[in-house]
Amino acid sequence: MSHPTSDATRQAPHAIWRGINQTLKQDSMGGLLLLCATIAALILANSPAAPWYENLRDFTFGPESLHLNLSVGAWAADGLLAIFFFVVGLELKEEFVVGKLRNPRTALVPIAAAVGGVALPAVFYTLVITTSGSNAINGWAIPAATDIAFAVAVIAVVGKFLPPALRTFLLTLAVVDDLLAISIIAIFYTDDLAWLPLLIALLPLALFTIAVQRGVRAWWILVPLGVSVWALVHASGIHATVAGVLLGFMVPVIASKRARVNVGKNKDGEPVYEGLAAHFADRWSIASSIIAIPIFAFFAAGVAIGGFAGLRESLLSPVALGIIAGLILGKSIGITTATFLVTKLPGIELDRSIKWIDLLGMSFIAGIGFTVSLLVGELAFGAQGEEAQYVKVGVLCGSLLAAIIGALILGARNRTYRALQADMK
């Protein structure tokens, strides 16, 4: 005799981990497009086509009355990246409600690793800036973020035989890292706050919340409400990408009778449902990885290096050196040290399939701080000027070196795991 199955037991597993292979493939494709967009931007910015590239990036359009007469580059940073942060908001809420971050004991290790991976890069950057006598301290948060698309792409290329728990650890760490980065942007990089637009933004946000809680999925209802929230948050002086996170947080994770999506049937032939957060994350993550992030990178990464002399000058600047030190040393030391310390607490341990050398390699991969690092650089120093150039060179070189070091370590470990699997057959 079969027992009736409740709606709760027919909730689909947590979306990120249910579709981890799809997530890795999608982020790998996003990382490839991100790399292509970056290379294209660098080539154009250092070629005879540079004036065309700069004119395109600096071309402005939009209604001035709504504070939206922005350049193409600003539209990419403020507008398209809001899609990326909307997906981040969805994933964050999923993690805290039904994912790895729901259980404090399980969540403590990656949370501690993420905190260490944010704090130590900021410390290294600050040390370089203060010892050099530079006044560019405002860029302290630039090396704090991890670019998950690039990081997962590297893991996918070099780590086919690595323990699945290592990839899960990286994804969980990156989710917490994103939350910390969003908080830093909202708290430390918001000037001249205008309260009236911010208060008005609560109205479309409330309507959006009511709609999704009632299971509304119609784009012609939700998109205008979301755009209204984004525009009002932008007008308030808070970086508009924060609006994406707020909207993501409003979407329900648990499948209810009103807000759910049928994703198939279980072994008993009964329908299985997922919440709207998982549904929207699946849909919008494609636009985020394939469209929003590469376009942002195309307009953000184009820096005129000025030949070897210009590259040397940029690399020797305190800003670039601080960023490189933060991404390579800060991330690796911060993540591994924080993980080591927290696992010394009673009852807290690292997954037994992950070796410390694996974690070290992953910590260097986490030093690929591209998308959010460039965004914070623009918020700290603007899109033009010497500091802006130094930021881009520092982020590009630091991320590249971190990726190479991490890939070498994990590539060697991957060969070890492959040999072990071959011996077991």
Side-chain angles (χ1 to χ4, degrees), residues 117 143-147 151 170 173 177 327 331-332 335 361-369 402:
T146 294
D147 191 299
L170 174 62
L173 180 149
D177 185 286
L327 291 175
K331 278 289 184 183
S332 58
I335 290 172
M362 188 218 68
S363 69
F364 277 106
I365 297 297
I368 305 174

Side-chain angles (χ1 to χ4, degrees), residues 38 40 69 89 92 111 117 130 144 152 189 219 241 257 273 276 293 313 322 328 345 357 372 383 385 403:
T38 302
N69 186 27
L92 278 170
I111 288 176
T130 53
V152 168
Y189 293 96
W219 68 267
T241 52
K257 289 187 176 181
Y273 302 100
L276 292 190
I293 296 178
E313 178 188 347
I328 297 175
L345 297 175
I357 186 64
V372 181

Side-chain angles (χ1 to χ4, degrees), residues 153-409:
V154 174
I155 291 281
V157 170
V158 304
K160 181 180 179 181
F161 296 94
L162 292 174
L166 186 68
R167 306 180 190 194
T168 302
F169 191 98
L170 174 62
L171 286 172
T172 308
L173 180 149
V175 167
V176 180
D177 185 286
D178 284 337
L179 176 61
L180 295 173
I182 292 160
S183 302
I184 289 170
I185 290 172
I187 296 170
F188 296 101
Y189 293 96
T190 296
D191 297 319
D192 302 324
L193 184 63
W195 286 102
L196 182 59
L198 192 60
L199 291 173
I200 297 175
L202 295 177
L203 177 59
L205 181 64
L207 293 175
F208 180 91
T209 303
I210 293 170
V212 292
Q213 293 293 334
R214 290 178 174 272
V216 174
R217 288 184 280 158
W219 68 267
W220 51 272
I221 295 176
L222 299 182
V223 171
L225 290 172
V227 171
S228 299
V229 175
W230 172 84
L232 288 164
V233 170
H234 182 276
S236 74
I238 296 178
H239 197 267
T241 52
V242 175
V245 181
L246 291 175
L247 291 165
F249 279 166
M250 298 303 109
V251 181
V253 171
I254 303 298
S256 65
K257 289 187 176 181
R258 281 185 171 180
R260 64 186 184 183
V261 178
N262 189 323
V263 292
K265 296 182 178 181
N266 61 18
K267 62 181 180 180
D268 297 322
E270 297 171 315
V272 176
Y273 302 100
E274 67 180 5
L276 292 190
H279 176 73
F280 288 157
D282 286 342
R283 300 299 184 272
W284 285 95
S285 61
I286 298 174
S288 171
S289 300
I290 308 301
I291 300 174
I293 296 178
I295 291 178
F296 166 75
F298 179 75
F299 290 111
V303 53
I305 295 173
F308 287 108
L311 179 60
R312 181 176 180 274
E313 178 188 347
S314 296
L315 285 174
L316 292 178
S317 69
V319 170
L321 289 174
I323 293 171
I324 293 171
L327 291 175
I328 297 175
L329 299 176
K331 278 289 184 183
S332 58
I333 296 173
I335 290 172
T336 52
T337 301
T339 304
F340 176 79
L341 292 175
V342 77
T343 52
K344 294 302 178 183
L345 297 175
I348 306 298
E349 62 180 7
L350 187 65
D351 189 287
R352 294 184 179 182
S353 67
I354 301 176
K355 307 304 180 186
W356 284 102
I357 186 64
D358 302 333
L359 185 73
L360 179 63
M362 188 218 68
S363 69
F364 277 106
I365 297 297
I368 305 174
F370 190 83
T371 305
V372 181
S373 291
L374 290 176
L375 174 61
V376 174
E378 287 194 8
L379 295 176
F381 302 116
Q384 307 296 329
E386 285 187 348
E387 285 85 1
Q389 175 176 321
Y390 299 155
V391 166
K392 293 176 182 179
V393 170
V395 170
L396 292 171
C397 292
S399 298
L400 178 61
L401 290 172
I404 291 172
I405 296 171
L408 289 174
I409 294 173

